[in-house]
Amino acid sequence: MLRETNQRQNPAPSPESQELLAQLHDIQEPASVGWWPPAPGWWLLATLIFACLLGTAVGVGRQRKQARRNRYRVQAVALLKAVDTSQPTASAEMNEILKRVAVTSFGRPQCANLTGLQWLAFLENTAPLQCPSDARQVLLEQLYRGTGDPDRNNALRQYAIGWVEQHGRSAQSAQVPSTELNREASRV
């Protein structure tokens, strides 16, 4: 009896229904979303990251190039600080370091053969510093005498360090008109 009630509730499918049921397949899930091509937001983020990395690389490159260009300044300051100002040859050593820096920066034809007032005028025209009177006296009077005053030599060292750190970076700013040099020389 139970069987009969089940059959009445679930009648056997008709042949047409059986044919339609035979055509049914399992449910297929859609293909998963691929990671390529990325969404526009990811493209924008990648572009921003690339731009930041490129900017950093360019900045670091410029910094290194500037450091290489100014390495002579650091070395010259170290040499100036190492000069013993109590020695009679201290003024000549500091003058030599100043000449080497000037030749490195402005070229041999501009400053290698300058002496006395011309050399002093060149130094003052190529940096925003005025030479103190003690340093001026060492450069003009005591340079080749072989005698030295430690206080004046210290003044020359301070001026020389300041000049090395602040002198002009282009040869155009170092050109001193010859009329100025002639005027300076005629005053002496």
Side-chain angles (χ1 to χ4, degrees), residues 1-9:
M1 194 156 174
L2 199 50
R3 215 179 215 187
E4 284 178 18
T5 44
N6 281 344
Q7 282 181 357
R8 282 186 201 156
Q9 289 174 352

Side-chain angles (χ1 to χ4, degrees), residues 8 29 37 47 66 71-72 87-88 91 96 113-114 127 141 146 179-180:
R8 282 186 201 156
E29 294 181 13
T47 303
Q66 187 69 21
R71 187 178 311 147
Y72 75 96
Q87 296 296 319
S91 58
E96 178 186 344
N113 61 350
L114 298 177
E141 297 173 11
T179 56
E180 282 184 36

Side-chain angles (χ1 to χ4, degrees), residues 24-68:
L24 287 177
H25 297 289
D26 288 338
I27 296 175
Q28 293 183 357
E29 294 181 13
S32 62
V33 177
W35 63 274
W36 195 261
W42 288 111
W43 283 109
L44 181 63
L45 180 65
T47 303
L48 287 173
I49 290 172
F50 179 73
C52 288
L53 290 175
L54 184 65
T56 302
V58 167
V60 167
R62 283 184 181 168
Q63 230 175 8
R64 284 186 178 175
K65 189 175 182 180
Q66 187 69 21
R68 271 194 308 266

Side-chain angles (χ1 to χ4, degrees), residues 2-187:
L2 199 50
R3 215 179 215 187
E4 284 178 18
T5 44
N6 281 344
Q7 282 181 357
R8 282 186 201 156
Q9 289 174 352
N10 295 332
S14 67
E16 295 168 349
S17 297
Q18 286 179 356
E19 191 177 315
L20 287 175
L21 285 173
Q23 291 178 3
L24 287 177
H25 297 289
D26 288 338
I27 296 175
Q28 293 183 357
E29 294 181 13
S32 62
V33 177
W35 63 274
W36 195 261
W42 288 111
W43 283 109
L44 181 63
L45 180 65
T47 303
L48 287 173
I49 290 172
F50 179 73
C52 288
L53 290 175
L54 184 65
T56 302
V58 167
V60 167
R62 283 184 181 168
Q63 230 175 8
R64 284 186 178 175
K65 189 175 182 180
Q66 187 69 21
R68 271 194 308 266
R69 262 192 224 143
N70 288 325
R71 187 178 311 147
Y72 75 96
R73 291 177 192 257
V74 174
Q75 291 173 350
V77 168
L79 287 173
L80 285 167
K81 287 180 179 178
V83 172
D84 183 9
T85 56
S86 64
Q87 296 296 319
T89 59
S91 58
E93 289 176 34
M94 290 185 280
N95 188 52
E96 178 186 344
I97 295 168
L98 279 173
K99 283 277 188 171
R100 287 173 24 196
V101 171
V103 167
T104 300
S105 299
F106 303 106
R108 188 171 299 281
Q110 293 284 330
C111 57
N113 61 350
L114 298 177
T115 59
L117 284 175
Q118 291 178 335
W119 173 236
L120 201 55
F122 175 84
L123 291 174
E124 288 180 341
N125 288 331
T126 55
L129 298 172
Q130 288 298 322
C131 188
S133 62
D134 286 345
R136 178 182 290 269
Q137 195 170 22
V138 170
L139 284 174
L140 294 177
E141 297 173 11
Q142 295 178 357
L143 189 58
Y144 301 108
R145 286 188 185 164
T147 62
D149 179 13
D151 293 332
R152 289 183 177 161
N153 284 341
N154 281 328
L156 176 61
R157 180 183 10 206
Q158 292 306 314
Y159 174 73
I161 289 172
W163 187 87
V164 166
E165 292 172 344
Q166 298 179 22
H167 70 275
R169 298 180 194 279
S170 68
Q172 270 54 345
S173 67
Q175 293 178 352
V176 179
S178 60
T179 56
E180 282 184 36
L181 294 177
N182 291 338
R183 273 189 252 134
E184 286 281 333
S186 66
R187 287 184 200 163

